[in-house]
Amino acid sequence: MRFVQDIPHAQFRISLYAWNGKYIVKIEAGPYEQTYKISEMDFSDPETVPTMLDEPFLNRVAQRFQEMAIDWQATGERNEVF
């Protein structure tokens, strides 16, 4: 996997990679990570990938991270780990 660039964001760490004919967008927040694989054929230039990361999309990403944290806490409590 080849690192392409970091995409600046105040709330998340966002990295772009290229691998096996795909761009991989990795979004991290604390212990959680979301990964999106996009065909390189969908973009003529990797510089256009950050335009896909608009406010509505990143708001949903933030909501998904919150849901992941809730799910993780709930399974820890059910299994008496936390």
Side-chain angles (χ1 to χ4, degrees):
M1 187 164 31
R2 179 178 62 86
F3 174 78
V4 176
Q5 71 181 67
D6 280 322
I7 301 169
H9 192 269
Q11 187 176 3
F12 307 122
R13 178 183 170 130
I14 304 175
S15 304
L16 178 64
Y17 298 89
W19 181 70
N20 204 21
K22 293 180 176 46
Y23 290 119
I24 299 170
V25 178
K26 185 165 99 168
I27 306 171
E28 299 174 77
Y32 305 108
E33 175 180 304
Q34 295 177 45
T35 304
Y36 298 85
K37 296 178 184 177
I38 310 156
S39 174
E40 285 182 356
M41 296 178 72
D42 291 344
F43 296 94
S44 58
D45 180 2
E47 292 296 322
T48 60
V49 174
T51 64
M52 300 290 293
L53 308 177
D54 61 9
E55 186 175 346
F57 175 77
L58 291 174
N59 286 340
R60 290 287 296 141
V61 166
Q63 183 179 4
R64 202 167 291 114
F65 276 130
Q66 291 172 348
E67 292 167 356
M68 291 168 72
I70 290 166
D71 292 344
W72 186 247
Q73 183 66 35
T75 193
E77 290 171 1
R78 275 193 312 275
N79 292 288
E80 300 178 0
V81 176
F82 305 132

